[in-house]
Amino acid sequence: MTDPHERAEYAKLCLMAGEKATKISAFPSSCEYFLQGTSMLSEGDWKNQNYDLNLRLHTACAEAQNMIGKSKRLRNDERCVLDFDFVVSSHRFRAL
């Protein structure tokens, strides 16, 4: 899949599937859905209209990984969210 719009739509479906899996405490499955969703988005998606989707996927992935004890991957997702949130917040602050 190469079209950015299709990739974002697929990532949204992965987010929805992961959230449903989380609701029934199927954390290993939810991790897989969230990871698949994050793999569909590029680093540039933190800077465009997919920022919220990217943030939700990485945050949900970190929470699900915490539930199944994958702390090393959890730290990577937390750092990714914090790094990009700082960058975006800095740009928003400068614009004001």
Side-chain angles (χ1 to χ4, degrees):
M1 194 177 317
T2 58
D3 179 42
H5 180 67
E6 286 180 4
R7 292 175 69 86
E9 288 302 312
Y10 185 78
K12 288 177 191 174
L13 292 174
C14 290
L15 177 64
M16 290 171 35
E19 288 172 339
K20 288 184 181 216
T22 298
K23 285 182 183 179
I24 60 168
S25 300
F27 299 114
S29 295
S30 66
C31 277
E32 292 302 316
Y33 287 121
F34 296 138
L35 286 171
Q36 185 67 33
T38 60
S39 74
M40 290 289 109
L41 300 173
S42 69
E43 193 169 304
D45 285 318
W46 283 103
K47 299 173 186 169
N48 65 25
Q49 71 274 8
N50 292 323
Y51 172 80
D52 290 331
L53 176 59
N54 221 334
L55 180 63
R56 288 179 62 197
L57 278 165
H58 278 90
T59 301
C61 189
E63 290 171 351
Q65 288 171 344
N66 184 48
M67 296 303 291
I68 61 173
K70 289 191 172 182
S71 59
K72 182 176 181 182
R73 173 70 192 189
L74 171 65
R75 286 189 294 273
N76 290 338
D77 281 322
E78 286 174 335
R79 181 174 308 284
C80 186
V81 168
L82 292 173
D83 287 348
F84 282 108
D85 193 43
F86 175 76
V87 169
V88 170
S89 295
S90 296
H91 288 298
R92 286 182 186 154
F93 182 72
R94 280 188 225 140
L96 296 174

